[in-house]
Amino acid sequence: MKRIYDWDAKFSLRNYTAADLRAIKGKRKLTQTTANSIEEAAAAADAGIDLIMGNAQNTKAAREGAPISFSRPQSRCRIFRLKRMF
């Protein structure tokens, strides 16, 4: 486990840091899933999922369910339909 300080300047443990992910890139495959509740995040952590994402409004619940897993909020993307112009 990595010892870090979170965004609230509180001491925490994490399975990966951003630097770890950069070092692993291209060398090893990681697993990632989306969890939007405490139960989903806990199940993902128990299953050994490396990275856990949650919708921005559910980030707190995902963090409570998997406190040591690397997680980040998932931003909403707008989908634009493109018209073909001929």
Side-chain angles (χ1 to χ4, degrees):
M1 288 297 135
K2 308 291 181 174
R3 298 166 51 118
I4 68 157
Y5 287 94
D6 64 12
W7 291 105
D8 293 328
K10 296 178 183 172
F11 173 75
S12 296
L13 295 174
R14 294 287 185 270
N15 58 348
Y16 294 103
T17 64
D20 293 333
L21 298 178
R22 291 178 65 115
I24 290 171
K25 187 174 181 176
K27 299 176 185 168
R28 185 173 150 218
K29 291 189 178 194
L30 300 174
T31 56
Q32 175 178 308
T33 191
T34 300
N36 290 309
S37 69
I38 294 171
E39 296 81 12
E40 290 176 356
D46 291 343
I49 303 294
D50 296 310
L51 311 171
I52 300 173
M53 293 174 37
N55 292 334
Q57 66 268 23
N58 299 323
T59 302
K60 186 176 180 179
R63 174 59 60 210
E64 286 178 27
I68 60 171
S69 295
F70 183 91
S71 66
R72 70 175 188 86
Q74 184 179 20
S75 60
R76 292 182 181 234
C77 297
R78 294 184 183 207
I79 299 174
F80 296 98
R81 293 187 181 178
L82 300 176
K83 295 180 181 178
R84 288 188 170 187
M85 301 179 78
F86 294 96

